[in-house]
Amino acid sequence: MERVIIHVDMDYFYAAIEEREDPSLKDKAVVVCMYSNRGEEGGAVSTSNYIARKAGIRSAMPCRQARSLKPDAIFLPVRKQFYEDISARVMDILSSHADSDESFEKISIDEAFLEISQNCAGNFEKAIDIGLLIKNDVLEHEKLTCSVGIGPNKLIAKMASSFKKPDGMTLVKPEDVTDFLSPMPVKKLWGIGKVTEEKLQQMSIETIGQLAAYDAQELIAVFGKNRGTWLKKAASGIDETPVTEKTATDQIGRMASLKEDTRDNGEIFSLMNELVDDVIKKAVSRKVSFRSVTITVIFSNFRMATKSRTLNHAVSDKGILHETAREIMLQFLRESSMDFRRIGVRVGNLQQNIGQKSLFEYF
């Protein structure tokens, strides 16, 4: 079976959220800044929309410089927690389309890899349908756009997602990898920085195709064995790194599929209890408490819904998590007549425990 990987990259995430929250910002240059303690004159640009980018504004640029380039732009402060909450919901949508929990890898607040080899049976044409479904789900639930890249490995999927931004989708089949990569400037190869780019230019290597054709031993002589070997393989479109689940620092969660689409309380709560137990064990191992509990349901028509509850104070008690999760799940069952396909349990607003043990740790 062919390996099929999707990379999803949210389009100008922070600025897009601000546009969604305030429609009057549409068609204006929007710049989201991480201000320093010096106020609006200090700090750096976190992100900007495409109108601002056309004026030359870029991430990490000093806010003062950005103002000089586009004085009529709308400058807004970063709202980190707000963006993280939206990111968590987006990631729930994305992970619901992966082969399994372990086949989903969040790599930043606004991008992730999914392996869908089993879901599409290694068929790249079916992968297009999954990519479109992801885009539609994100747009429907969060009113945000994303760009999707589909390829035979993480490297190609990542580069494909940048090919038609914003709101694009690019498919690169295994047989098309060479034609896709070869004409690109070498700096476009994911993982190449400024220093490596300059060294390659000194070697008269300007395109990825030229790098792929370069003698491997000469690359190793210049860059060392590991880096030289990687450059040769990456330029040839070879990437064997797996999509692996990573522990998020801002939340702990698990999702799993029911044995079959169902509304049977016994089946649903049995699986939910397993997820709760796993989440609480992870919380205990990380020595954290949580203040928010979120339940996610993927229905039989693949539509997703989430409900959250914020607790009065941070806890790490299994009984409280079980009770809260059960109450939310019962609400889902009352409000919907559709069968459940997949469910998830997530805790957030994590706080580090200091000294005191939870009751669960004694058993």
Side-chain angles (χ1 to χ4, degrees):
M1 182 188 298
E2 291 278 9
R3 189 173 178 225
V4 185
I5 309 297
I6 284 183
H7 178 260
V8 180
D9 192 0
M10 301 301 296
D11 297 323
Y12 62 102
F13 189 49
Y14 294 178
I17 291 172
E18 298 296 347
E19 288 181 1
R20 183 193 73 178
E21 296 300 301
D22 182 359
S24 71
L25 297 178
K26 290 286 187 181
D27 302 321
K28 296 178 182 178
V30 178
V31 184
V32 179
C33 289
M34 179 69 75
Y35 291 120
S36 67
N37 56 9
R38 299 180 182 179
E40 295 187 3
E41 289 302 311
V45 173
S46 180
T47 191
S48 61
N49 66 4
Y50 286 90
I51 299 174
R53 293 179 193 185
K54 287 180 180 178
I57 296 174
R58 295 289 182 268
S59 296
M61 176 181 287
C63 296
R64 181 181 296 179
Q65 182 182 353
R67 287 180 185 277
S68 68
L69 290 172
K70 189 70 173 171
D72 62 343
I74 307 299
F75 288 82
L76 300 169
V78 165
R79 296 194 281 173
K80 184 179 179 183
Q81 187 58 56
F82 184 53
Y83 303 148
E84 287 178 348
D85 290 344
I86 296 170
S87 172
R89 298 199 298 268
V90 169
M91 294 301 157
D92 277 343
I93 294 172
L94 303 186
S95 65
S96 72
H97 294 280
D99 286 342
S100 67
D101 289 337
E102 292 73 25
S103 301
F104 174 77
E105 181 178 340
K106 175 184 175 182
I107 59 174
S108 73
I109 195 171
D110 62 352
E111 57 181 319
F113 288 109
L114 302 74
E115 178 156 2
I116 60 164
S117 306
Q118 295 177 20
N119 285 348
C120 70
N123 186 318
F124 280 87
E125 298 303 325
K126 290 182 179 178
I128 293 176
D129 294 334
I130 295 175
L132 289 172
L133 185 57
I134 288 171
K135 289 172 64 65
N136 290 337
D137 280 354
V138 172
L139 184 61
E140 178 182 345
H141 290 285
E142 294 298 331
K143 304 299 185 288
L144 297 168
T145 64
C146 60
S147 295
V148 172
I150 307 171
N153 56 52
K154 290 167 68 174
L155 172 75
I156 300 302
K158 168 71 174 175
M159 295 179 67
S161 69
S162 302
F163 201 66
K164 295 178 182 177
K165 287 183 71 71
D167 197 19
M169 186 167 73
T170 300
L171 167 68
V172 181
K173 296 179 180 180
E175 61 267 28
D176 299 326
V177 166
T178 299
D179 289 342
F180 175 70
L181 290 178
S182 291
M184 289 187 184
V186 74
K187 66 181 180 181
K188 294 287 188 180
L189 186 62
W190 185 40
I192 285 188
K194 189 68 176 176
V195 174
T196 302
E197 179 193 353
E198 291 174 353
K199 282 187 178 181
L200 291 171
Q201 287 178 343
Q202 292 170 6
M203 298 164 68
S204 299
I205 301 174
E206 297 183 354
T207 68
I208 296 177
Q210 290 173 335
L211 177 58
Y214 210 83
D215 182 74
Q217 292 304 317
E218 291 189 35
L219 290 173
I220 290 172
V222 175
F223 294 98
K225 182 177 180 180
N226 290 341
R227 186 65 172 170
T229 301
W230 177 84
L231 285 168
K232 178 71 173 181
K233 293 176 72 172
S236 303
I238 300 170
D239 177 20
E240 298 162 350
T241 57
V243 175
T244 55
E245 181 185 21
K246 285 184 168 57
T247 301
T249 58
D250 56 343
Q251 62 184 15
I252 299 171
R254 276 293 314 278
M255 289 193 74
S257 297
L258 292 149
K259 293 179 181 178
E260 58 183 8
D261 296 354
T262 183
R263 285 183 53 79
D264 181 78
N265 283 20
E267 293 289 334
I268 291 170
F269 285 109
S270 175
L271 179 57
M272 189 196 76
N273 290 339
E274 291 179 18
L275 299 180
V276 166
D277 288 347
D278 191 53
V279 167
I280 205 73
K281 286 178 182 177
K282 290 181 179 180
V284 169
S285 69
R286 289 177 56 183
K287 295 181 171 58
V288 293
S289 301
F290 51 88
R291 277 202 66 197
S292 66
V293 178
T294 300
I295 298 297
T296 302
V297 173
I298 310 295
F299 295 104
S300 56
N301 64 352
F302 293 96
R303 294 306 176 193
M304 188 195 78
T306 62
K307 292 184 185 295
S308 299
R309 185 169 300 179
T310 301
L311 306 175
N312 291 330
H313 59 276
V315 300
S316 57
D317 184 86
K318 182 168 71 169
I320 293 176
L321 181 54
H322 269 289
E323 180 182 352
T324 306
R326 182 177 180 83
E327 290 174 356
I328 298 173
M329 190 64 77
L330 285 171
Q331 188 177 354
F332 268 120
L333 288 165
R334 287 194 300 268
E335 294 178 358
S336 173
S337 59
M338 194 169 294
D339 286 347
F340 291 15
R341 179 184 181 86
R342 190 170 166 86
I343 62 173
V345 177
R346 186 178 76 244
V347 296
N349 294 331
L350 303 183
Q351 298 179 18
Q352 199 70 36
N353 293 336
I354 302 175
Q356 187 175 358
K357 290 185 176 182
S358 71
L359 182 63
F360 183 69
E361 290 179 84
Y362 290 99
F363 296 93

